[in-house]
Amino acid sequence: MEIGEVLVRVSSSSSFSFVPLNHRNLVPSHFHVHLPKASSFTLPSEKRIFILGIGFVAQSLALKLQNQGWVVSGTCTSNVKKKQLEEMGFQVHLFDANYPQSSMLGLLKDCSHLLVSIPPVAGIGDPMLQHEELLRSSLVNGNLQWLCYLSSTSVYGDCGGELVDEDYPTNPKSESAKLRLASEEGWLNLAHHLGFSVQVFRLGGIYGPGRSAIDTILKQEPLSEGQKMRKHRKYTSRVHVDDICQALMAAIYTTPPREVYNIVDDDPAPREEVFEYARRLVLKKWPGLNLEHLEQKGSSDVKTINQRGEKRVSNARMKKELGMQLLYPDYKSGLQSIIDQIESPFHCN
């Protein structure tokens, strides 16, 4: 398995003033994060974050932090991704995740913040925690003061449709969910051992521009295995990528009082309902578009066992303690925003 190293440096002329009592200086103008005064702290003069796994969410965050004067470094997982990041102007280097390079660990050691956005691997678990002793020895005298691990609400398992908060017992059913929970525990233990602040964000289904029901319809792609599994679910908690970034920015610029937060919107609606709404939006904007492929998708009889289980996930702690006002509190507002940004129905093909 290979992971790439990305180093983004901003101009020395970039400036950013951190004023703890004025949250409007902390995040982009379209964010609505109301940061708790009691939990603010002073960032180092040179703000550095290392991101393990610059994927869909982390790339969005990296661009926002870069615009605020951060030095961002991290990893990616393929040559294709490496090329894409290079086209965005980033410096990209590949290395073998099974044998972490000293240069990567050196960059990580120099950073004040660490975001872990790499999913566990079957048969291995967390790709970096398999080198836990090496990580500990590399970070013990470093500058790291904050760590966040991006997990999943799948760790709760089947809750019979109950509303679950962060204190609800975890009971993962699928192998991937069990590995997620093990990764949570591993990164929490590492942070506790080294003595820096740590958060675990349990994310709902992630969507945003380029990755949504709108995009699936326009691309006319067959259902993925994950979509098939979610087809007959009564509840599906989800969250827009911009709201995940809001939560991360709040946690970066303050010290949240808890370690575990559910990051989801207000509306755990069924997948079928979401896709029907997306279909109506598409036909309203492009009345003559042929969507016959959707009928074929809808008629497929999928009997896959859903190991993620039925549950409604509470975001009350996120709103109260991270001071968040969701940009997209439900799938309708999120999908409307996405389709408003699409000029042609053929942009995805």
Side-chain angles (χ1 to χ4, degrees):
M1 176 180 178
E2 289 187 331
I3 291 180
E5 178 184 56
V6 182
L7 178 60
V8 182
R9 293 190 180 275
V10 298
S11 168
S12 59
S13 63
S14 299
S15 62
F16 179 80
S17 299
F18 177 64
V19 183
L21 300 185
N22 185 353
H23 68 83
R24 288 174 294 182
N25 290 331
L26 305 184
V27 294
S29 58
H30 69 285
F31 280 9
H32 303 284
V33 182
H34 305 286
L35 302 176
K37 295 179 181 180
S39 60
S40 56
F41 70 97
T42 302
L43 287 167
S45 57
E46 186 174 36
K47 302 173 288 292
R48 292 174 173 267
I49 186 169
F50 194 94
I51 301 175
L52 288 167
I54 302 184
F56 183 69
V57 172
Q59 182 174 299
S60 180
L61 177 71
L63 291 171
K64 290 174 172 60
L65 290 177
Q66 179 189 5
N67 290 336
Q68 294 192 2
W70 286 70
V71 176
V72 183
S73 56
T75 68
C76 67
T77 58
S78 70
N79 283 295
V80 173
K81 186 67 174 180
K82 177 179 181 292
K83 182 179 179 181
Q84 293 173 346
L85 291 168
E86 286 176 337
E87 290 174 350
M88 295 169 62
F90 297 161
Q91 298 178 11
V92 186
H93 306 280
L94 291 176
F95 73 100
D96 189 341
N98 289 315
Y99 305 96
Q101 295 178 353
S102 58
S103 59
M104 183 274 287
L105 292 174
L107 284 173
L108 198 158
K109 184 175 182 177
D110 291 337
C111 292
S112 56
H113 292 65
L114 172 63
L115 175 65
V116 184
S117 185
I118 298 178
V121 179
I124 296 177
D126 191 284
M128 292 306 299
L129 284 178
Q130 63 176 324
H131 310 290
E132 184 174 354
E133 291 305 316
L134 180 60
L135 278 171
R136 289 192 183 200
S137 61
S138 299
L139 298 175
V140 66
N141 294 317
N143 297 322
L144 204 62
Q145 57 184 255
W146 176 88
L147 181 153
C148 182
Y149 176 70
L150 297 186
S151 186
S152 167
T153 56
S154 63
V155 298
Y156 294 113
D158 185 4
C159 306
E162 288 189 31
L163 182 66
V164 302
D165 62 14
E166 292 83 351
D167 295 324
Y168 196 93
T170 54
N171 186 25
K173 299 298 183 181
S174 68
E175 185 61 27
S176 62
K178 292 176 182 178
L179 292 175
R180 279 287 187 191
L181 185 59
S183 294
E184 285 187 13
E185 295 169 351
W187 286 108
L188 285 167
N189 289 337
L190 177 65
H192 294 159
H193 175 80
L194 296 175
F196 48 77
S197 177
V198 59
Q199 268 78 51
V200 168
F201 280 3
R202 292 172 178 166
L203 309 180
I206 303 164
Y207 77 102
R211 179 173 167 174
S212 70
I214 298 287
D215 295 274
T216 299
I217 289 171
L218 294 180
K219 289 177 183 178
Q220 301 191 17
E221 294 178 341
L223 292 175
S224 68
E225 288 305 311
Q227 288 171 327
K228 291 177 181 178
M229 289 179 65
R230 295 189 294 270
K231 179 176 174 59
H232 300 293
R233 287 175 63 180
K234 185 175 181 181
Y235 304 110
T236 299
S237 294
R238 57 184 57 78
V239 61
H240 193 285
V241 62
D242 283 351
D243 281 319
I244 300 173
C245 287
Q246 271 207 93
L248 286 167
M249 297 287 261
I252 286 171
Y253 283 112
T254 69
T255 305
R258 315 285 186 100
E259 293 184 339
V260 179
Y261 290 90
N262 295 329
I263 310 298
V264 297
D265 68 17
D266 297 335
D267 185 13
R271 178 191 174 278
E272 291 292 287
E273 179 182 311
V274 173
F275 267 78
E276 177 56 30
Y277 185 76
R279 180 179 180 276
R280 293 201 302 269
L281 287 180
V282 169
L283 289 177
K284 180 180 179 180
K285 188 164 186 176
W286 300 290
L289 198 63
N290 185 353
L291 299 183
E292 290 182 358
H293 63 286
L294 291 182
E295 300 302 325
Q296 183 178 358
K297 287 182 182 180
S299 64
S300 59
D301 185 18
V302 181
K303 299 296 185 181
T304 309
I305 297 175
N306 178 18
Q307 293 183 305
R308 295 189 180 189
E310 293 284 4
K311 56 188 168 289
R312 294 170 296 129
V313 182
S314 169
N315 61 15
R317 179 183 292 183
M318 173 194 77
K319 289 182 175 180
K320 180 180 179 181
E321 298 182 1
L322 298 183
M324 280 185 58
Q325 178 181 333
L326 288 165
L327 293 167
Y328 306 104
D330 52 40
Y331 71 86
K332 292 183 178 179
S333 56
L335 292 180
Q336 186 66 61
S337 173
I338 290 169
I339 200 168
D340 285 346
Q341 299 175 47
I342 301 175
E343 295 182 1
S344 167
F346 307 108
H347 84 292
C348 297
N349 297 327

